[in-house]
Amino acid sequence: MTPRTWTIADPPPTDFRTGFSHLPVLVQYVLWRRGLTTPAAVEAFLQPEYRRLADPFAFRQMRPAVDRIRRALERQEPIMIYGDYDADGVTATAVLYETLSALGGAVRWYLPERLTEGYGLNLQAIEEFARTGTNILITVDCGTSNVEEIQRAKSLGLDVIVIDHHHQPPIVPPALAIINPVMAGETYPDRGLSSAGVAFAVVRALLTSTDYGAQLGHSLAPGWEKWLLDLVAISTVADMMPLRGENRTLVHYGLLTLRQTRRPGLRALFAIMGSPLERADELTIGFTVAPRLNAAGRLQHASIALELLLTHDPDRAQRLAEQLQSINLDRQRLTTMAVAEALEQTDLASRQAGQEQPRYGGVTAFASHWSPGILGLVAGQLADRLWRPTVVMAENDGQIVGSGRSVPGVNIMTVMDEGREYFLRYGGHAGACGFTLRSPEQRLIFEQWFRDRIADGWQPAQAAKELIIDGRAQLSDVTADALDMLATLGPYGIDHTRPVFLLERVRVLDVGTVGAEQQHLRLTIGQGRDVARCIGFRQGSRLADAAAGREIDLAVETTWNEWQGRREAQLKIIDLRSAG
């Protein structure tokens, strides 16, 4: 396990605690740490308002995009939506497709095949769209980096609108409009939207400008778009977007929509997962829904996931949900095997270099037989375990394809930009990237370059994970009121992580391991008269660090554990150490 450096936040000042003395201590810590220092700020955070979403026409190029889409709807021009094969791309495609269909559009969708077509637009697909009469091409979750492809589409007479949220390349494609919050000079106030979030802004703009379709002869009820928010919530959590600002509002209302979703596909998927739809939250999305939607594009075709979201037929929904469940089991098995093999490669490289593990350079791994669809998952697990920027590669149809994942402090797209001469194509954002090398012969050279490039900019202080602790607490602070109020501060995620509290000098009363492979650590701890149960997932190897009778410090998250109608407080162990 990568060592952690504990950084304990300073407590709130006395005047803040006095002003919020009616709230549990744990809640005070979180409000202070999140910068919510006034009653008005707290109220706005606890009760996000849909009507406060920014004007979608604040996007610089929203007006020409909406005007062109509207003209296509009025004239029944063929519209093609070109999406992506991950959960964000699939949900963004569904958001736009459902809207344009409801407005009477002659609209079709297309998702590329991950292995044969790769990420983003491709020339062969564009040629086919032009041949079959497409007039307007709308990309979602891709397009920002497709200069050559959009130039070709334009030469064939297609108007291209890009709806995306990915990194801006040095050269911007000649699209009719680019709706992307991270573009240089963009005036939309929130830069952290997922692609489905950006597509939802386009939907809001389109509905506003057409009087909810009345001007097109297809009237929709005011607020119709809110039924799309289940998809926006899934995309925002799945794509690990920051849960502050507009995303908090979108996910807040999206979860309410998800719990009463009209989609037979999602209802069938939740039933197969054995997860109560009425209790769906951000964890449900992140750990159960998103992996299954992503699995389709990783191992088969993302159209399975998209059709699940779009179908109105309960029987078809059931078949698609069963198919996704099966694909996801395969994905789990293949990922576990590939991670083990990749770790063996890094261990071998370390031994050859005479090190316990590569201390400063980037991590690289390659196997020709790995499925390209799982490379991002493997890279993510290696980056997390070894705490180094990581690229993982495989062979696909004679080419070397790869995925990269980074750690805080290293923008992997900046690294990719510096090495662009190695790539046939690449794209991504600060924490993740995908690429295809120009030639297989470059792989070893690229690997060495990547390891050296990371080493050149690596600071020794980055060698350990930083564990941010929101405050010191006593077991007596873990009350039902505190847990209920902490729950209302959700949804939690990127930039608004679940709070972690420090319990110092607690005594271990009982210790054991649980799980099929005894991989989880279970503790009963005491402090004064207070007793609590703790669970440390995948921390069974630390059994000796928490022997009965020992005093330890625990960094924990506080949760409710619900089982068979019973609810009890549970402390989730994030890290532990001997009491100092």
Side-chain angles (χ1 to χ4, degrees):
M1 177 178 290
T2 302
R4 294 176 183 257
T5 300
W6 293 17
T7 301
I8 305 166
D10 293 331
T14 302
D15 59 343
F16 176 87
R17 297 191 65 172
T18 300
F20 288 94
S21 59
H22 59 291
L23 298 178
V25 170
L26 303 186
V27 176
Q28 293 178 27
Y29 286 151
V30 178
L31 295 179
W32 174 255
R33 288 269 299 129
R34 302 302 187 268
L36 305 170
T37 58
T38 67
V42 173
E43 181 72 13
F45 192 81
L46 290 176
Q47 298 182 350
E49 296 184 65
Y50 180 81
R51 64 183 180 88
R52 294 191 180 278
L53 293 176
D55 180 356
F57 286 101
F59 276 104
R60 289 183 306 162
Q61 298 186 22
M62 183 66 81
R63 177 59 65 186
V66 167
D67 287 348
R68 183 63 185 93
I69 295 171
R70 175 174 178 155
R71 191 162 72 249
L73 293 171
E74 291 170 340
R75 299 177 178 178
Q76 285 293 288
E77 296 180 68
I79 302 171
M80 178 63 73
I81 301 171
Y82 189 108
D84 187 31
Y85 37 66
D86 69 359
D88 186 22
V90 168
T91 52
T93 302
V95 164
L96 201 58
Y97 179 82
E98 286 196 348
T99 302
L100 298 185
S101 296
L103 293 173
V107 57
R108 295 180 296 154
W109 55 261
Y110 184 93
L111 300 180
E113 205 280 331
R114 181 190 290 261
L115 300 186
T116 60
E117 296 177 273
Y119 171 75
L121 287 168
N122 69 80
L123 292 173
Q124 184 176 350
I126 289 171
E127 299 283 349
E128 179 64 16
F129 300 156
R131 189 187 67 80
T132 54
T134 297
N135 284 9
I136 177 172
L137 173 61
I138 306 175
T139 73
V140 288
D141 202 31
C142 62
T144 300
S145 61
N146 289 121
V147 177
E148 179 186 1
E149 292 82 0
I150 292 177
Q151 284 175 337
R152 179 56 178 159
K154 187 176 179 180
S155 73
L156 292 171
L158 277 68
D159 288 330
V160 182
I161 295 171
V162 173
I163 298 173
D164 199 4
H165 72 146
H166 286 103
H167 173 83
Q168 177 178 335
I171 302 174
V172 177
L176 183 148
I178 299 177
I179 315 297
N180 184 335
V182 304
M183 297 292 284
E186 181 54 69
T187 52
Y188 194 77
D190 198 311
R191 296 173 59 83
L193 298 177
S194 68
S195 285
V198 181
F200 188 72
V202 174
V203 167
R204 291 194 295 124
L206 187 59
L207 293 178
T208 299
S209 67
T210 61
D211 191 20
Y212 273 85
Q215 298 175 20
L216 300 170
H218 294 273
S219 294
L220 302 175
W224 175 89
E225 77 281 3
K226 293 180 182 178
W227 285 105
L228 301 170
L229 285 170
D230 51 355
L231 301 177
V232 179
I234 290 170
S235 80
T236 303
V237 174
D239 226 39
M240 301 183 69
M241 306 311 296
L243 288 189
R244 301 293 293 267
E246 287 202 354
N247 282 339
R248 176 173 171 79
T249 302
L250 294 171
V251 175
H252 172 83
Y253 286 100
L255 287 172
L256 295 177
T257 305
L258 179 60
R259 292 167 192 152
Q260 53 186 330
T261 185
R262 296 172 171 177
R263 302 179 190 282
L266 286 179
R267 289 186 170 276
L269 189 62
F270 270 78
I272 283 178
M273 296 187 307
S275 180
L277 185 60
E278 66 276 7
R279 293 211 300 268
D281 60 13
E282 67 275 19
L283 293 177
T284 314
I285 292 174
F287 290 100
T288 61
V289 177
R292 285 163 173 79
L293 295 180
N294 279 324
R298 293 185 187 282
L299 297 185
Q300 293 194 22
H301 200 285
S303 59
I304 300 168
L306 181 54
E307 289 170 7
L308 176 100
L309 298 177
L310 293 176
T311 186
H312 299 289
D313 180 348
D315 291 336
R316 178 160 175 72
Q318 181 66 28
R319 292 193 298 272
L320 289 167
E322 290 172 355
Q323 191 174 0
L324 279 185
Q325 182 77 345
S326 175
I327 295 170
N328 189 56
L329 291 173
D330 288 341
R331 187 271 307 171
Q332 291 173 328
R333 176 180 56 81
L334 292 173
T335 302
T336 298
M337 292 170 57
V339 168
E341 292 173 4
L343 286 171
E344 287 181 6
Q345 289 185 23
T346 60
D347 288 345
L348 176 61
S350 302
R351 289 194 299 271
Q352 290 175 342
Q355 303 170 349
E356 293 183 5
Q357 69 174 46
R359 282 189 54 83
Y360 300 121
V363 174
T364 64
F366 167 81
S368 60
H369 63 274
W370 290 337
S371 169
I374 64 169
L375 298 182
L377 300 175
V378 178
Q381 291 198 33
L382 261 62
D384 185 62
R385 293 191 192 191
L386 303 177
W387 207 241
R388 297 287 183 276
T390 299
V391 293
V392 176
M393 293 166 286
E395 186 176 332
N396 179 52
D397 196 24
Q399 294 183 316
I400 303 298
V401 297
S403 287
R405 295 295 183 269
S406 195
V407 298
V410 180
N411 185 324
I412 201 164
M413 276 307 294
T414 299
V415 176
M416 295 291 107
D417 284 342
E418 293 175 13
R420 66 175 64 91
E421 69 270 16
Y422 293 107
F423 308 121
L424 182 64
R425 65 179 69 91
Y426 72 102
H429 48 75
C433 70
F435 59 88
T436 301
L437 293 183
R438 288 191 181 276
S439 70
E441 291 74 22
Q442 286 187 309
R443 179 177 65 83
L444 294 177
I445 299 171
F446 166 70
E447 288 188 18
Q448 188 62 55
W449 174 85
F450 181 81
R451 290 192 294 264
D452 291 344
R453 168 59 183 80
I454 298 301
D456 288 344
W458 191 259
Q459 300 297 320
Q462 295 174 286
K465 290 184 183 180
E466 184 180 26
L467 176 59
I468 303 294
I469 296 174
D470 290 273
R472 290 179 165 88
Q474 302 291 314
L475 267 184
S476 58
D477 296 326
V478 185
T479 63
D481 284 346
L483 267 61
D484 285 340
M485 277 214 70
L486 288 171
T488 66
L489 292 176
Y492 293 105
I494 304 299
D495 281 4
H496 177 47
T497 55
R498 289 183 174 269
V500 176
F501 302 105
L502 173 60
L503 298 171
E504 295 178 294
R505 304 197 74 86
V506 297
R507 185 170 296 279
V508 179
L509 304 179
D510 188 37
V511 59
T513 54
V514 294
E517 300 176 2
Q518 302 299 300
Q519 70 270 38
H520 309 309
L521 180 66
R522 183 177 62 189
L523 301 179
T524 302
I525 60 171
Q527 190 178 60
R529 297 181 178 180
D530 298 295
V531 175
R533 295 181 181 178
C534 310
I535 184 74
F537 294 110
R538 293 178 295 279
Q539 297 192 50
S541 61
R542 307 195 69 183
L543 187 66
D545 297 331
R550 176 176 293 183
E551 284 193 343
I552 59 175
D553 296 339
L554 286 176
V556 299
E557 292 178 1
T558 58
T559 63
W560 284 116
N561 181 37
E562 298 186 29
W563 177 252
Q564 295 183 337
R566 297 179 55 192
R567 187 172 81 149
E568 66 176 3
Q570 178 176 268
L571 302 179
K572 177 183 172 183
I573 302 169
I574 306 302
D575 202 2
L576 64 87
R577 66 187 184 190
S578 297

